[in-house]
Amino acid sequence: MKIIRTTDYEGMSDAAFAAVKEAVLADPKATLGLATGSTPLGLYKRMIADHAAAGTSYREIKTVNLDEYVSLPADHPQSYAYFMRKNLFDGLDIDPANTHIASGTADPGEECVRYNILLEALPRDLQILGIGSNGHIAFNEPGTPFGSVTHLVALAESTIRDNSRLFEKAEDVPRYAITMGLSNIMHAKRILILASGENKKRAVSGLVKGPVTEDLPASILRLHPDCTLIVDEAAASLL
Ligand code: PGA
């Protein structure tokens, strides 16, 4: 795994943006795997600003998202579908029909099957990932089999706690999600995993230096042939 160390969140976002822009210019029909959460927001702001200033086009880019909360409709302000529209898609010239995210309101079993078929039809050229403080990637919580594909997951207590900052009350955080599996993630041709802040330092240390184990789902990335970790000083402080 290649590691790019930056001073802070802004530097991490700059490095991630440079890689995404290069991928989009190299192949204007590329498929990007996208993530939600606080981590990629700086990257998404840069993509929107660059689209406005330099005209980088996403007209033929396709996207697939990692996960979605079960029970939240796509127009719910805490749904990941809404997050992606507000924080990225509405600011680009991307065709909404080319943006894919699992439905939080469809029958979960059927939706997992549908999403897996979609992922097979849309292999990702570049996958963006964040990392949970417990080492999860997407909503693949500790203990998820490395061979997993899209599945329904009961969120870990630590994830519910981490994500409750985005909801009015911790009780409002959905308890279930649909997530791309670890095997789906590993099928991306290239992966960028971003980490910023003190609360990620243990997960980052495990990712870089610990054993490759299902107890730390992100550690599977060490087996990927083209994965880059972009990490700021605070998140890298145990390396
Ligand atoms: P965050 O979430 O970007 O909001 O820290 C990352 C994750 O849980 O994967």
PDB file of all heavy atoms in Angstrom, residues 185-225:
ATOM      1  N   ILE A 185     -15.550  -4.230  -2.871  1.00  0.00           N
ATOM      2  CA  ILE A 185     -14.602  -3.109  -2.773  1.00  0.00           C
ATOM      3  C   ILE A 185     -13.259  -3.503  -3.385  1.00  0.00           C
ATOM      4  O   ILE A 185     -12.646  -2.741  -4.136  1.00  0.00           O
ATOM      5  CB  ILE A 185     -14.436  -2.674  -1.296  1.00  0.00           C
ATOM      6  CG1 ILE A 185     -15.737  -2.004  -0.816  1.00  0.00           C
ATOM      7  CG2 ILE A 185     -13.240  -1.733  -1.126  1.00  0.00           C
ATOM      8  CD1 ILE A 185     -15.782  -1.700   0.668  1.00  0.00           C
ATOM      9  N   MET A 186     -12.836  -4.729  -3.107  1.00  0.00           N
ATOM     10  CA  MET A 186     -11.525  -5.179  -3.616  1.00  0.00           C
ATOM     11  C   MET A 186     -11.503  -5.318  -5.133  1.00  0.00           C
ATOM     12  O   MET A 186     -10.432  -5.401  -5.729  1.00  0.00           O
ATOM     13  CB  MET A 186     -11.146  -6.509  -2.960  1.00  0.00           C
ATOM     14  CG  MET A 186     -10.779  -6.375  -1.498  1.00  0.00           C
ATOM     15  SD  MET A 186      -9.244  -5.457  -1.243  1.00  0.00           S
ATOM     16  CE  MET A 186      -8.031  -6.747  -1.553  1.00  0.00           C
ATOM     17  N   HIS A 187     -12.686  -5.354  -5.769  1.00  0.00           N
ATOM     18  CA  HIS A 187     -12.715  -5.480  -7.227  1.00  0.00           C
ATOM     19  C   HIS A 187     -12.434  -4.168  -7.947  1.00  0.00           C
ATOM     20  O   HIS A 187     -12.278  -4.156  -9.164  1.00  0.00           O
ATOM     21  CB  HIS A 187     -14.049  -6.081  -7.683  1.00  0.00           C
ATOM     22  CG  HIS A 187     -14.036  -7.574  -7.612  1.00  0.00           C
ATOM     23  ND1 HIS A 187     -14.807  -8.291  -6.739  1.00  0.00           N
ATOM     24  CD2 HIS A 187     -13.293  -8.484  -8.290  1.00  0.00           C
ATOM     25  CE1 HIS A 187     -14.547  -9.586  -6.881  1.00  0.00           C
ATOM     26  NE2 HIS A 187     -13.629  -9.722  -7.817  1.00  0.00           N
ATOM     27  N   ALA A 188     -12.387  -3.047  -7.217  1.00  0.00           N
ATOM     28  CA  ALA A 188     -12.048  -1.778  -7.861  1.00  0.00           C
ATOM     29  C   ALA A 188     -10.608  -1.872  -8.379  1.00  0.00           C
ATOM     30  O   ALA A 188      -9.748  -2.478  -7.741  1.00  0.00           O
ATOM     31  CB  ALA A 188     -12.168  -0.636  -6.860  1.00  0.00           C
ATOM     32  N   LYS A 189     -10.372  -1.229  -9.541  1.00  0.00           N
ATOM     33  CA  LYS A 189      -9.009  -1.303 -10.105  1.00  0.00           C
ATOM     34  C   LYS A 189      -8.021  -0.554  -9.234  1.00  0.00           C
ATOM     35  O   LYS A 189      -6.879  -0.959  -9.073  1.00  0.00           O
ATOM     36  CB  LYS A 189      -8.998  -0.685 -11.506  1.00  0.00           C
ATOM     37  CG  LYS A 189      -9.598  -1.597 -12.538  1.00  0.00           C
ATOM     38  CD  LYS A 189      -9.385  -1.013 -13.948  1.00  0.00           C
ATOM     39  CE  LYS A 189     -10.480  -1.545 -14.858  1.00  0.00           C
ATOM     40  NZ  LYS A 189     -11.162  -0.535 -15.630  1.00  0.00           N
ATOM     41  N   ARG A 190      -8.487   0.577  -8.685  1.00  0.00           N
ATOM     42  CA  ARG A 190      -7.606   1.421  -7.882  1.00  0.00           C
ATOM     43  C   ARG A 190      -8.406   1.924  -6.689  1.00  0.00           C
ATOM     44  O   ARG A 190      -9.601   2.236  -6.840  1.00  0.00           O
ATOM     45  CB  ARG A 190      -7.202   2.612  -8.744  1.00  0.00           C
ATOM     46  CG  ARG A 190      -5.855   3.116  -8.483  1.00  0.00           C
ATOM     47  CD  ARG A 190      -5.493   4.169  -9.507  1.00  0.00           C
ATOM     48  NE  ARG A 190      -4.902   5.270  -8.785  1.00  0.00           N
ATOM     49  CZ  ARG A 190      -5.026   6.532  -9.109  1.00  0.00           C
ATOM     50  NH1 ARG A 190      -5.739   6.888 -10.163  1.00  0.00           N
ATOM     51  NH2 ARG A 190      -4.433   7.453  -8.400  1.00  0.00           N
ATOM     52  N   ILE A 191      -7.768   2.018  -5.540  1.00  0.00           N
ATOM     53  CA  ILE A 191      -8.472   2.447  -4.326  1.00  0.00           C
ATOM     54  C   ILE A 191      -7.695   3.572  -3.661  1.00  0.00           C
ATOM     55  O   ILE A 191      -6.469   3.523  -3.544  1.00  0.00           O
ATOM     56  CB  ILE A 191      -8.620   1.270  -3.329  1.00  0.00           C
ATOM     57  CG1 ILE A 191      -9.488   0.160  -3.949  1.00  0.00           C
ATOM     58  CG2 ILE A 191      -9.223   1.747  -2.013  1.00  0.00           C
ATOM     59  CD1 ILE A 191      -9.656  -1.071  -3.078  1.00  0.00           C
ATOM     60  N   LEU A 192      -8.442   4.600  -3.226  1.00  0.00           N
ATOM     61  CA  LEU A 192      -7.864   5.662  -2.393  1.00  0.00           C
ATOM     62  C   LEU A 192      -8.599   5.617  -1.063  1.00  0.00           C
ATOM     63  O   LEU A 192      -9.825   5.747  -1.037  1.00  0.00           O
ATOM     64  CB  LEU A 192      -8.145   7.047  -2.977  1.00  0.00           C
ATOM     65  CG  LEU A 192      -7.489   7.508  -4.255  1.00  0.00           C
ATOM     66  CD1 LEU A 192      -7.883   8.957  -4.509  1.00  0.00           C
ATOM     67  CD2 LEU A 192      -5.967   7.382  -4.154  1.00  0.00           C
ATOM     68  N   ILE A 193      -7.883   5.425   0.023  1.00  0.00           N
ATOM     69  CA  ILE A 193      -8.525   5.476   1.336  1.00  0.00           C
ATOM     70  C   ILE A 193      -8.027   6.717   2.060  1.00  0.00           C
ATOM     71  O   ILE A 193      -6.820   6.965   2.143  1.00  0.00           O
ATOM     72  CB  ILE A 193      -8.342   4.170   2.144  1.00  0.00           C
ATOM     73  CG1 ILE A 193      -9.004   4.329   3.532  1.00  0.00           C
ATOM     74  CG2 ILE A 193      -6.894   3.722   2.257  1.00  0.00           C
ATOM     75  CD1 ILE A 193      -9.321   3.017   4.220  1.00  0.00           C
ATOM     76  N   LEU A 194      -8.958   7.522   2.544  1.00  0.00           N
ATOM     77  CA  LEU A 194      -8.639   8.811   3.150  1.00  0.00           C
ATOM     78  C   LEU A 194      -8.876   8.735   4.653  1.00  0.00           C
ATOM     79  O   LEU A 194      -9.882   8.164   5.103  1.00  0.00           O
ATOM     80  CB  LEU A 194      -9.549   9.913   2.578  1.00  0.00           C
ATOM     81  CG  LEU A 194      -9.802   9.925   1.071  1.00  0.00           C
ATOM     82  CD1 LEU A 194     -10.695  11.108   0.699  1.00  0.00           C
ATOM     83  CD2 LEU A 194      -8.492   9.992   0.315  1.00  0.00           C
ATOM     84  N   ALA A 195      -7.969   9.344   5.410  1.00  0.00           N
ATOM     85  CA  ALA A 195      -8.154   9.353   6.863  1.00  0.00           C
ATOM     86  C   ALA A 195      -7.625  10.662   7.434  1.00  0.00           C
ATOM     87  O   ALA A 195      -6.517  11.088   7.107  1.00  0.00           O
ATOM     88  CB  ALA A 195      -7.424   8.175   7.503  1.00  0.00           C
ATOM     89  N   SER A 196      -8.447  11.272   8.269  1.00  0.00           N
ATOM     90  CA  SER A 196      -8.069  12.548   8.882  1.00  0.00           C
ATOM     91  C   SER A 196      -8.541  12.574  10.324  1.00  0.00           C
ATOM     92  O   SER A 196      -9.659  12.148  10.628  1.00  0.00           O
ATOM     93  CB  SER A 196      -8.741  13.688   8.101  1.00  0.00           C
ATOM     94  OG  SER A 196      -8.665  14.888   8.819  1.00  0.00           O
ATOM     95  N   GLY A 197      -7.685  13.068  11.188  1.00  0.00           N
ATOM     96  CA  GLY A 197      -8.119  13.324  12.565  1.00  0.00           C
ATOM     97  C   GLY A 197      -7.703  12.241  13.537  1.00  0.00           C
ATOM     98  O   GLY A 197      -7.538  11.066  13.203  1.00  0.00           O
ATOM     99  N   GLU A 198      -7.552  12.714  14.746  1.00  0.00           N
ATOM    100  CA  GLU A 198      -7.115  11.943  15.907  1.00  0.00           C
ATOM    101  C   GLU A 198      -7.940  10.657  16.115  1.00  0.00           C
ATOM    102  O   GLU A 198      -7.389   9.613  16.444  1.00  0.00           O
ATOM    103  CB  GLU A 198      -7.296  12.928  17.080  1.00  0.00           C
ATOM    104  CG  GLU A 198      -7.092  12.454  18.463  1.00  0.00           C
ATOM    105  CD  GLU A 198      -5.626  12.483  18.847  1.00  0.00           C
ATOM    106  OE1 GLU A 198      -4.826  13.133  18.150  1.00  0.00           O
ATOM    107  OE2 GLU A 198      -5.301  11.820  19.843  1.00  0.00           O
ATOM    108  N   ASN A 199      -9.259  10.749  15.893  1.00  0.00           N
ATOM    109  CA  ASN A 199     -10.090   9.571  16.201  1.00  0.00           C
ATOM    110  C   ASN A 199      -9.908   8.432  15.192  1.00  0.00           C
ATOM    111  O   ASN A 199     -10.484   7.370  15.369  1.00  0.00           O
ATOM    112  CB  ASN A 199     -11.580   9.946  16.332  1.00  0.00           C
ATOM    113  CG  ASN A 199     -12.174  10.350  15.001  1.00  0.00           C
ATOM    114  OD1 ASN A 199     -11.487  10.953  14.160  1.00  0.00           O
ATOM    115  ND2 ASN A 199     -13.432  10.021  14.770  1.00  0.00           N
ATOM    116  N   LYS A 200      -9.069   8.652  14.160  1.00  0.00           N
ATOM    117  CA  LYS A 200      -8.812   7.578  13.192  1.00  0.00           C
ATOM    118  C   LYS A 200      -7.438   6.936  13.406  1.00  0.00           C
ATOM    119  O   LYS A 200      -7.068   6.026  12.675  1.00  0.00           O
ATOM    120  CB  LYS A 200      -8.915   8.135  11.759  1.00  0.00           C
ATOM    121  CG  LYS A 200     -10.250   8.764  11.404  1.00  0.00           C
ATOM    122  CD  LYS A 200     -11.379   7.760  11.395  1.00  0.00           C
ATOM    123  CE  LYS A 200     -12.749   8.371  11.213  1.00  0.00           C
ATOM    124  NZ  LYS A 200     -12.988   8.927   9.914  1.00  0.00           N
ATOM    125  N   LYS A 201      -6.672   7.442  14.383  1.00  0.00           N
ATOM    126  CA  LYS A 201      -5.269   7.019  14.457  1.00  0.00           C
ATOM    127  C   LYS A 201      -5.113   5.518  14.750  1.00  0.00           C
ATOM    128  O   LYS A 201      -4.226   4.875  14.201  1.00  0.00           O
ATOM    129  CB  LYS A 201      -4.481   7.869  15.463  1.00  0.00           C
ATOM    130  CG  LYS A 201      -4.889   7.700  16.897  1.00  0.00           C
ATOM    131  CD  LYS A 201      -4.107   8.653  17.797  1.00  0.00           C
ATOM    132  CE  LYS A 201      -4.518   8.429  19.246  1.00  0.00           C
ATOM    133  NZ  LYS A 201      -4.011   9.460  20.143  1.00  0.00           N
ATOM    134  N   ARG A 202      -5.974   4.957  15.596  1.00  0.00           N
ATOM    135  CA  ARG A 202      -5.846   3.523  15.896  1.00  0.00           C
ATOM    136  C   ARG A 202      -6.210   2.678  14.678  1.00  0.00           C
ATOM    137  O   ARG A 202      -5.543   1.702  14.360  1.00  0.00           O
ATOM    138  CB  ARG A 202      -6.718   3.141  17.097  1.00  0.00           C
ATOM    139  CG  ARG A 202      -5.951   3.313  18.387  1.00  0.00           C
ATOM    140  CD  ARG A 202      -6.715   2.984  19.646  1.00  0.00           C
ATOM    141  NE  ARG A 202      -6.255   3.894  20.687  1.00  0.00           N
ATOM    142  CZ  ARG A 202      -6.774   5.092  20.928  1.00  0.00           C
ATOM    143  NH1 ARG A 202      -7.816   5.512  20.231  1.00  0.00           N
ATOM    144  NH2 ARG A 202      -6.279   5.875  21.855  1.00  0.00           N
ATOM    145  N   ALA A 203      -7.278   3.075  14.016  1.00  0.00           N
ATOM    146  CA  ALA A 203      -7.700   2.320  12.819  1.00  0.00           C
ATOM    147  C   ALA A 203      -6.610   2.397  11.747  1.00  0.00           C
ATOM    148  O   ALA A 203      -6.289   1.390  11.099  1.00  0.00           O
ATOM    149  CB  ALA A 203      -9.024   2.875  12.291  1.00  0.00           C
ATOM    150  N   VAL A 204      -6.003   3.579  11.585  1.00  0.00           N
ATOM    151  CA  VAL A 204      -4.958   3.755  10.565  1.00  0.00           C
ATOM    152  C   VAL A 204      -3.726   2.928  10.930  1.00  0.00           C
ATOM    153  O   VAL A 204      -3.116   2.267  10.079  1.00  0.00           O
ATOM    154  CB  VAL A 204      -4.601   5.249  10.403  1.00  0.00           C
ATOM    155  CG1 VAL A 204      -3.312   5.423   9.614  1.00  0.00           C
ATOM    156  CG2 VAL A 204      -5.749   5.985   9.723  1.00  0.00           C
ATOM    157  N   SER A 205      -3.383   2.921  12.198  1.00  0.00           N
ATOM    158  CA  SER A 205      -2.237   2.136  12.641  1.00  0.00           C
ATOM    159  C   SER A 205      -2.476   0.652  12.354  1.00  0.00           C
ATOM    160  O   SER A 205      -1.599  -0.061  11.845  1.00  0.00           O
ATOM    161  CB  SER A 205      -2.010   2.409  14.129  1.00  0.00           C
ATOM    162  OG  SER A 205      -1.226   1.421  14.689  1.00  0.00           O
ATOM    163  N   GLY A 206      -3.673   0.178  12.658  1.00  0.00           N
ATOM    164  CA  GLY A 206      -4.011  -1.225  12.377  1.00  0.00           C
ATOM    165  C   GLY A 206      -3.973  -1.513  10.891  1.00  0.00           C
ATOM    166  O   GLY A 206      -3.488  -2.562  10.458  1.00  0.00           O
ATOM    167  N   LEU A 207      -4.481  -0.556  10.113  1.00  0.00           N
ATOM    168  CA  LEU A 207      -4.500  -0.730   8.654  1.00  0.00           C
ATOM    169  C   LEU A 207      -3.088  -0.883   8.096  1.00  0.00           C
ATOM    170  O   LEU A 207      -2.824  -1.727   7.250  1.00  0.00           O
ATOM    171  CB  LEU A 207      -5.201   0.484   8.024  1.00  0.00           C
ATOM    172  CG  LEU A 207      -5.010   0.721   6.531  1.00  0.00           C
ATOM    173  CD1 LEU A 207      -5.589  -0.431   5.724  1.00  0.00           C
ATOM    174  CD2 LEU A 207      -5.684   2.032   6.106  1.00  0.00           C
ATOM    175  N   VAL A 208      -2.164  -0.072   8.606  1.00  0.00           N
ATOM    176  CA  VAL A 208      -0.809  -0.053   8.043  1.00  0.00           C
ATOM    177  C   VAL A 208       0.093  -1.119   8.671  1.00  0.00           C
ATOM    178  O   VAL A 208       0.867  -1.769   7.973  1.00  0.00           O
ATOM    179  CB  VAL A 208      -0.175   1.353   8.217  1.00  0.00           C
ATOM    180  CG1 VAL A 208       1.275   1.366   7.768  1.00  0.00           C
ATOM    181  CG2 VAL A 208      -0.987   2.393   7.450  1.00  0.00           C
ATOM    182  N   LYS A 209      -0.048  -1.305  10.002  1.00  0.00           N
ATOM    183  CA  LYS A 209       0.958  -2.112  10.701  1.00  0.00           C
ATOM    184  C   LYS A 209       0.425  -3.386  11.353  1.00  0.00           C
ATOM    185  O   LYS A 209       1.216  -4.211  11.801  1.00  0.00           O
ATOM    186  CB  LYS A 209       1.595  -1.279  11.833  1.00  0.00           C
ATOM    187  CG  LYS A 209       2.270  -0.013  11.364  1.00  0.00           C
ATOM    188  CD  LYS A 209       3.176   0.588  12.423  1.00  0.00           C
ATOM    189  CE  LYS A 209       2.415   1.073  13.647  1.00  0.00           C
ATOM    190  NZ  LYS A 209       3.210   1.930  14.533  1.00  0.00           N
ATOM    191  N   GLY A 210      -0.897  -3.483  11.463  1.00  0.00           N
ATOM    192  CA  GLY A 210      -1.452  -4.639  12.174  1.00  0.00           C
ATOM    193  C   GLY A 210      -1.592  -5.839  11.262  1.00  0.00           C
ATOM    194  O   GLY A 210      -1.230  -5.787  10.089  1.00  0.00           O
ATOM    195  N   PRO A 211      -2.138  -6.927  11.816  1.00  0.00           N
ATOM    196  CA  PRO A 211      -2.358  -8.104  10.969  1.00  0.00           C
ATOM    197  C   PRO A 211      -3.495  -7.866   9.979  1.00  0.00           C
ATOM    198  O   PRO A 211      -4.359  -7.026  10.222  1.00  0.00           O
ATOM    199  CB  PRO A 211      -2.749  -9.195  11.985  1.00  0.00           C
ATOM    200  CG  PRO A 211      -3.237  -8.458  13.183  1.00  0.00           C
ATOM    201  CD  PRO A 211      -2.535  -7.120  13.209  1.00  0.00           C
ATOM    202  N   VAL A 212      -3.463  -8.581   8.865  1.00  0.00           N
ATOM    203  CA  VAL A 212      -4.594  -8.554   7.931  1.00  0.00           C
ATOM    204  C   VAL A 212      -5.642  -9.486   8.522  1.00  0.00           C
ATOM    205  O   VAL A 212      -5.450 -10.698   8.586  1.00  0.00           O
ATOM    206  CB  VAL A 212      -4.144  -9.012   6.525  1.00  0.00           C
ATOM    207  CG1 VAL A 212      -5.346  -9.131   5.600  1.00  0.00           C
ATOM    208  CG2 VAL A 212      -3.128  -8.028   5.959  1.00  0.00           C
ATOM    209  N   THR A 213      -6.704  -8.885   9.052  1.00  0.00           N
ATOM    210  CA  THR A 213      -7.680  -9.665   9.803  1.00  0.00           C
ATOM    211  C   THR A 213      -9.078  -9.105   9.636  1.00  0.00           C
ATOM    212  O   THR A 213      -9.253  -7.888   9.525  1.00  0.00           O
ATOM    213  CB  THR A 213      -7.311  -9.670  11.317  1.00  0.00           C
ATOM    214  OG1 THR A 213      -8.436 -10.161  12.063  1.00  0.00           O
ATOM    215  CG2 THR A 213      -6.983  -8.282  11.827  1.00  0.00           C
ATOM    216  N   GLU A 214     -10.053 -10.012   9.659  1.00  0.00           N
ATOM    217  CA  GLU A 214     -11.454  -9.576   9.560  1.00  0.00           C
ATOM    218  C   GLU A 214     -11.860  -8.732  10.771  1.00  0.00           C
ATOM    219  O   GLU A 214     -12.876  -8.047  10.739  1.00  0.00           O
ATOM    220  CB  GLU A 214     -12.368 -10.790   9.375  1.00  0.00           C
ATOM    221  CG  GLU A 214     -12.150 -11.419   7.999  1.00  0.00           C
ATOM    222  CD  GLU A 214     -12.930 -12.703   7.751  1.00  0.00           C
ATOM    223  OE1 GLU A 214     -13.562 -13.221   8.701  1.00  0.00           O
ATOM    224  OE2 GLU A 214     -12.901 -13.190   6.604  1.00  0.00           O
ATOM    225  N   ASP A 215     -11.053  -8.761  11.839  1.00  0.00           N
ATOM    226  CA  ASP A 215     -11.357  -7.898  12.991  1.00  0.00           C
ATOM    227  C   ASP A 215     -11.144  -6.432  12.650  1.00  0.00           C
ATOM    228  O   ASP A 215     -11.644  -5.548  13.347  1.00  0.00           O
ATOM    229  CB  ASP A 215     -10.456  -8.259  14.190  1.00  0.00           C
ATOM    230  CG  ASP A 215     -10.788  -9.632  14.723  1.00  0.00           C
ATOM    231  OD1 ASP A 215     -11.906 -10.110  14.455  1.00  0.00           O
ATOM    232  OD2 ASP A 215      -9.910 -10.239  15.372  1.00  0.00           O
ATOM    233  N   LEU A 216     -10.336  -6.159  11.625  1.00  0.00           N
ATOM    234  CA  LEU A 216     -10.122  -4.785  11.167  1.00  0.00           C
ATOM    235  C   LEU A 216     -10.371  -4.799   9.647  1.00  0.00           C
ATOM    236  O   LEU A 216      -9.443  -4.997   8.861  1.00  0.00           O
ATOM    237  CB  LEU A 216      -8.705  -4.296  11.478  1.00  0.00           C
ATOM    238  CG  LEU A 216      -8.584  -2.783  11.252  1.00  0.00           C
ATOM    239  CD1 LEU A 216      -8.767  -2.028  12.568  1.00  0.00           C
ATOM    240  CD2 LEU A 216      -7.269  -2.409  10.619  1.00  0.00           C
ATOM    241  N   PRO A 217     -11.633  -4.615   9.249  1.00  0.00           N
ATOM    242  CA  PRO A 217     -11.986  -4.829   7.837  1.00  0.00           C
ATOM    243  C   PRO A 217     -11.088  -4.088   6.858  1.00  0.00           C
ATOM    244  O   PRO A 217     -10.739  -4.629   5.801  1.00  0.00           O
ATOM    245  CB  PRO A 217     -13.432  -4.317   7.774  1.00  0.00           C
ATOM    246  CG  PRO A 217     -13.953  -4.548   9.159  1.00  0.00           C
ATOM    247  CD  PRO A 217     -12.801  -4.288  10.085  1.00  0.00           C
ATOM    248  N   ALA A 218     -10.649  -2.860   7.196  1.00  0.00           N
ATOM    249  CA  ALA A 218      -9.816  -2.093   6.258  1.00  0.00           C
ATOM    250  C   ALA A 218      -8.504  -2.806   5.954  1.00  0.00           C
ATOM    251  O   ALA A 218      -7.885  -2.556   4.912  1.00  0.00           O
ATOM    252  CB  ALA A 218      -9.528  -0.701   6.821  1.00  0.00           C
ATOM    253  N   SER A 219      -8.064  -3.703   6.833  1.00  0.00           N
ATOM    254  CA  SER A 219      -6.751  -4.347   6.619  1.00  0.00           C
ATOM    255  C   SER A 219      -6.731  -5.185   5.348  1.00  0.00           C
ATOM    256  O   SER A 219      -5.657  -5.469   4.809  1.00  0.00           O
ATOM    257  CB  SER A 219      -6.350  -5.194   7.834  1.00  0.00           C
ATOM    258  OG  SER A 219      -7.240  -6.283   7.998  1.00  0.00           O
ATOM    259  N   ILE A 220      -7.904  -5.556   4.823  1.00  0.00           N
ATOM    260  CA  ILE A 220      -7.939  -6.314   3.559  1.00  0.00           C
ATOM    261  C   ILE A 220      -7.279  -5.511   2.432  1.00  0.00           C
ATOM    262  O   ILE A 220      -6.758  -6.069   1.472  1.00  0.00           O
ATOM    263  CB  ILE A 220      -9.381  -6.711   3.171  1.00  0.00           C
ATOM    264  CG1 ILE A 220      -9.371  -7.759   2.053  1.00  0.00           C
ATOM    265  CG2 ILE A 220     -10.201  -5.494   2.761  1.00  0.00           C
ATOM    266  CD1 ILE A 220     -10.750  -8.276   1.651  1.00  0.00           C
ATOM    267  N   LEU A 221      -7.264  -4.184   2.580  1.00  0.00           N
ATOM    268  CA  LEU A 221      -6.726  -3.328   1.507  1.00  0.00           C
ATOM    269  C   LEU A 221      -5.238  -3.563   1.285  1.00  0.00           C
ATOM    270  O   LEU A 221      -4.700  -3.243   0.229  1.00  0.00           O
ATOM    271  CB  LEU A 221      -6.998  -1.853   1.816  1.00  0.00           C
ATOM    272  CG  LEU A 221      -8.485  -1.490   1.935  1.00  0.00           C
ATOM    273  CD1 LEU A 221      -8.629  -0.045   2.376  1.00  0.00           C
ATOM    274  CD2 LEU A 221      -9.214  -1.716   0.607  1.00  0.00           C
ATOM    275  N   ARG A 222      -4.571  -4.118   2.286  1.00  0.00           N
ATOM    276  CA  ARG A 222      -3.135  -4.413   2.109  1.00  0.00           C
ATOM    277  C   ARG A 222      -2.925  -5.479   1.032  1.00  0.00           C
ATOM    278  O   ARG A 222      -1.830  -5.631   0.502  1.00  0.00           O
ATOM    279  CB  ARG A 222      -2.529  -4.858   3.439  1.00  0.00           C
ATOM    280  CG  ARG A 222      -2.549  -3.740   4.491  1.00  0.00           C
ATOM    281  CD  ARG A 222      -1.176  -3.456   5.072  1.00  0.00           C
ATOM    282  NE  ARG A 222      -0.591  -4.602   5.714  1.00  0.00           N
ATOM    283  CZ  ARG A 222      -0.859  -4.988   6.965  1.00  0.00           C
ATOM    284  NH1 ARG A 222      -1.729  -4.310   7.704  1.00  0.00           N
ATOM    285  NH2 ARG A 222      -0.262  -6.025   7.474  1.00  0.00           N
ATOM    286  N   LEU A 223      -3.998  -6.218   0.723  1.00  0.00           N
ATOM    287  CA  LEU A 223      -3.897  -7.268  -0.302  1.00  0.00           C
ATOM    288  C   LEU A 223      -4.250  -6.728  -1.684  1.00  0.00           C
ATOM    289  O   LEU A 223      -4.197  -7.462  -2.664  1.00  0.00           O
ATOM    290  CB  LEU A 223      -4.837  -8.434   0.050  1.00  0.00           C
ATOM    291  CG  LEU A 223      -4.672  -9.022   1.458  1.00  0.00           C
ATOM    292  CD1 LEU A 223      -5.684 -10.142   1.680  1.00  0.00           C
ATOM    293  CD2 LEU A 223      -3.246  -9.538   1.666  1.00  0.00           C
ATOM    294  N   HIS A 224      -4.633  -5.446  -1.758  1.00  0.00           N
ATOM    295  CA  HIS A 224      -5.024  -4.874  -3.053  1.00  0.00           C
ATOM    296  C   HIS A 224      -3.773  -4.408  -3.804  1.00  0.00           C
ATOM    297  O   HIS A 224      -2.885  -3.791  -3.215  1.00  0.00           O
ATOM    298  CB  HIS A 224      -5.994  -3.701  -2.847  1.00  0.00           C
ATOM    299  CG  HIS A 224      -6.671  -3.271  -4.115  1.00  0.00           C
ATOM    300  ND1 HIS A 224      -6.058  -2.450  -5.032  1.00  0.00           N
ATOM    301  CD2 HIS A 224      -7.882  -3.575  -4.634  1.00  0.00           C
ATOM    302  CE1 HIS A 224      -6.887  -2.265  -6.059  1.00  0.00           C
ATOM    303  NE2 HIS A 224      -7.995  -2.939  -5.842  1.00  0.00           N
ATOM    304  N   PRO A 225      -3.711  -4.651  -5.115  1.00  0.00           N
ATOM    305  CA  PRO A 225      -2.491  -4.291  -5.849  1.00  0.00           C
ATOM    306  C   PRO A 225      -2.294  -2.789  -6.071  1.00  0.00           C
ATOM    307  O   PRO A 225      -1.183  -2.367  -6.390  1.00  0.00           O
ATOM    308  CB  PRO A 225      -2.665  -5.001  -7.207  1.00  0.00           C
ATOM    309  CG  PRO A 225      -4.128  -5.297  -7.321  1.00  0.00           C
ATOM    310  CD  PRO A 225      -4.646  -5.443  -5.925  1.00  0.00           C
TER     311      PRO A 225
END
